[in-house]
Amino acid sequence: MENVIIKPFIEKQCDALYELIVLSINSTYPEYYPKEAVEYFVNYQNKDIYLADSKKGQILLLYNGDILTGTGTIIGSHVKRVFFHPQHLHKGYGKKMMEELESIAHKNNETYIDLHSSFYAKRFYDKLNYKLLKVHGFAVENEERLYYQRMVKILQKQESSYINIHNKKFNIIKNDGPGAEVNENTIFQFYQHEHVIYATYHGGEIEFGELIGTISNSTMKFNYSQININKEWNEGHSSVTIDNSSEKLRLIDNWQWDSKEGTGECIFQEM
């Protein structure tokens, strides 16, 4: 890999990045997904998203000489859009890209990396010691479904203790604040890998939501994103105190929107 170099993305490379990703999807995904899911993956690609992500995090481009061969993006702890040219697979480029993304996360003091893996890429991430948290699926055209896998890798071990909430369900007994969408009909399912917590939720005003963050002693911090029943997408972050003084756990959540104005307090109770 003497001629391989990783460079930061710049705006004029939008078209080349888009073409690389679409080529990779169309070449590798049809073996694992129905055509409706492949089309969804392709249609999701958007040059405006690339530009927005480059401002929030870092997009990296891998070149073999002058040929654009691969890409990967990192925003905070979240890795996304790791794709490679189908003629340059199984040459170690993927591992090199992930090492660079993990190095960025280390420098930013992230304690873990999380990502969404396609079925095609899961074996690759398994070899790099990423752990499966949850398999998700949602409907696409013609009653077909698109499945992906939420995975995580611990970068820094935490010495603090933490409460295990793996496989616990919570509902909402209170949620106050402007624009609050989660309500008493919303159910949260939690998963945990060491100090990393992850949950999916739905019901009430929420079509689908997910959160990911860390747990330490009696506190949690996480980022959340959700789509409501009106197909509106929003995201935010939370700081949570865990109350384990009674038989059922309670989570006292002080939340704040990032995509719009508003803060509030939400109380989860173990079901």
Side-chain angles (χ1 to χ4, degrees):
M1 298 200 300
E2 296 178 357
N3 296 321
V4 172
I5 186 170
I6 295 177
K7 301 179 181 180
F9 164 86
I10 57 176
E11 184 173 346
K12 69 178 183 180
Q13 294 163 315
C14 258
D15 288 340
L17 177 59
Y18 175 84
E19 290 172 5
L20 170 69
I21 293 173
V22 171
L23 175 62
S24 178
I25 292 170
N26 284 329
S27 298
T28 57
Y29 281 31
E31 183 180 349
Y32 297 85
Y33 292 98
K35 65 180 181 63
E36 291 84 357
V38 175
E39 290 171 359
Y40 181 94
F41 277 118
V42 170
N43 292 335
Y44 183 77
Q45 299 308 311
N46 185 305
K47 298 170 189 177
D48 290 336
I49 294 177
Y50 305 161
L51 294 176
D53 284 354
S54 69
K55 295 176 181 177
K56 293 186 291 184
Q58 295 185 56
I59 300 177
L60 302 181
L61 303 178
L62 185 145
Y63 286 86
N64 182 3
D66 295 328
I67 302 172
L68 177 59
T69 304
T71 184
T73 296
I74 185 166
I75 302 173
S77 67
H78 186 53
V79 165
K80 58 194 298 189
R81 282 197 307 274
V82 177
F83 288 101
F84 290 87
H85 194 290
Q87 294 180 359
H88 295 270
L89 299 176
H90 311 299
K91 296 182 179 180
Y93 298 157
K95 182 179 179 181
K96 184 175 181 64
M97 174 61 74
M98 292 305 299
E99 288 174 346
E100 186 67 23
L101 294 170
E102 290 175 12
S103 176
I104 292 171
H106 270 296
K107 291 176 183 176
N108 292 334
N109 294 316
E110 301 290 349
T111 63
Y112 68 92
I113 277 186
D114 66 281
L115 52 83
H116 297 89
S117 171
S118 66
F119 283 162
Y120 165 74
K122 184 177 182 296
R123 283 181 294 178
F124 167 70
Y125 292 118
D126 286 340
K127 292 178 181 178
L128 297 179
N129 294 317
Y130 283 78
K131 305 301 181 184
L132 177 67
L133 289 172
K134 175 68 175 174
V135 177
H136 290 298
F138 60 90
V140 292
E141 290 186 354
N142 299 326
E143 299 184 351
E144 294 287 356
R145 293 186 68 80
L146 183 156
Y147 290 95
Y148 65 92
Q149 297 153 108
R150 194 71 186 253
M151 304 186 76
V152 66
K153 180 177 181 178
I154 304 297
L155 299 179
Q156 301 179 44
K157 296 287 186 179
Q158 299 298 288
E159 295 182 0
S160 60
S161 61
Y162 46 79
I163 296 171
N164 192 333
I165 60 171
H166 183 64
N167 276 335
K168 291 186 180 294
K169 286 187 177 182
F170 291 79
N171 61 359
I172 304 301
I173 59 175
K174 172 187 174 183
N175 192 15
D176 295 331
E181 296 180 335
V182 168
N183 60 32
E184 65 276 5
N185 295 314
T186 309
I187 305 299
F188 287 73
Q189 172 72 62
F190 276 84
Y191 306 90
Q192 186 172 339
H193 176 60
E194 297 188 17
H195 70 285
V196 178
I197 52 100
Y198 172 68
T200 59
Y201 54 100
H202 67 278
E205 298 295 313
I206 304 299
E207 181 175 301
F208 178 77
E210 57 182 349
L211 62 85
I212 191 162
T214 58
I215 184 168
S216 176
N217 298 319
S218 59
T219 62
M220 297 163 57
K221 293 184 182 297
F222 58 74
N223 297 311
Y224 61 87
S225 60
Q226 60 196 47
I227 300 172
N228 64 25
I229 57 177
N230 296 318
K231 305 299 182 183
E232 297 167 336
W233 174 87
N234 281 292
E235 62 181 358
H237 63 276
S238 288
S239 179
V240 177
T241 300
I242 303 172
D243 178 2
N244 62 348
S245 59
S246 59
E247 183 178 346
K248 292 185 177 181
L249 290 176
R250 282 193 174 187
L251 311 179
I252 316 302
D253 172 15
N254 291 290
W255 55 264
Q256 178 176 336
W257 292 115
D258 294 331
S259 54
K260 59 182 179 179
E261 297 295 323
T263 62
E265 181 182 81
C266 180
I267 300 179
F268 299 63
Q269 181 165 278
E270 183 182 355
M271 298 175 66

